[in-house]
Amino acid sequence: MGGFCCRVEKSGGGGKPTPEEPKTDENVVPDIPPRKVIAFTAKLNVAHSTPYHAGVLQLVDVLVNEGNGYNPETGIFTCPLEGLYHFILHMSVLGRAQCAIFKDGASLASVYHTSLPDKCCQVASISTTVRLSKGDKVWVNLWGHGRHEIIATEENDTAFVGFYLG
């Protein structure tokens, strides 16, 4: 994202201002400071489909990691800048899945999904907006017993997305 700088435009014509023009000789466009961009998108790798564990879901295929807050080796986003953030988990599910978006060990939003008996692939999504302090950690946490049928294929994606709002 880029910002604007201040620029000054002189009124044209040297005579009286037209009704659209201000009564001064200069139009000032205010400075708008550039915003810090923090955003990530990480996808579940096909090899990690249908995880059979509780705890952090590692989404290792990183498409975007502006600000380097997301660590694909741990599956955890560590907040680099205090402010409001929005997180989204979009899952392709072929059966049962239980998970939540966690912040520092507490659930912010959770989902429990079971698909129809014909085992067709369905989607489940959750999202949340939260104020974070620098160093806070956010991740997708699997809960419950057994296999989670969260999948990634060439046709179906499971993705964790987060971005700074300001």
Side-chain angles (χ1 to χ4, degrees):
M1 295 181 80
F4 296 97
C5 66
C6 185
R7 72 175 185 264
V8 177
E9 298 174 358
K10 298 286 185 187
S11 296
K16 292 183 177 181
T18 63
E20 304 86 43
E21 293 180 319
K23 304 273 188 237
T24 65
D25 286 331
E26 298 179 345
N27 295 329
V28 177
V29 178
D31 283 335
I32 300 174
R35 284 184 29 164
K36 177 80 174 162
V37 177
I38 300 169
F40 72 90
T41 299
K43 292 174 35 175
L44 184 66
N45 187 282
V46 174
H48 297 148
S49 287
T50 63
Y52 200 94
H53 71 281
V56 178
L57 177 64
Q58 284 183 264
L59 296 107
V60 300
D61 293 343
V62 177
L63 302 179
V64 173
N65 196 9
E66 292 294 322
N68 295 314
Y70 183 77
N71 183 339
E73 293 177 17
T74 63
I76 297 173
F77 171 78
T78 302
C79 178
L81 178 66
E82 181 178 343
L84 284 175
Y85 287 79
H86 190 72
F87 296 94
I88 304 158
L89 173 65
H90 174 83
M91 310 183 289
S92 293
V93 183
L94 189 62
R96 183 184 64 83
Q98 297 169 277
C99 65
I101 298 173
F102 267 52
K103 173 195 167 213
D104 292 334
S107 175
L108 298 175
S110 63
V111 63
Y112 175 80
H113 183 275
T114 57
S115 69
L116 301 171
D118 64 358
K119 293 285 191 176
C120 64
C121 187
Q122 297 181 343
V123 295
S125 296
I126 53 175
S127 66
T128 187
T129 300
V130 64
R131 178 168 295 283
L132 298 179
S133 296
K134 186 174 182 177
D136 284 348
K137 297 185 182 316
V138 177
W139 66 91
V140 175
N141 200 73
L142 301 173
W143 51 277
H145 301 289
R147 185 170 91 174
H148 298 273
E149 295 174 297
I150 301 168
I151 64 167
T153 67
E154 294 300 319
E155 295 83 29
N156 298 294
D157 287 323
T158 292
F160 183 36
V161 176
F163 51 90
Y164 174 68
L165 296 172

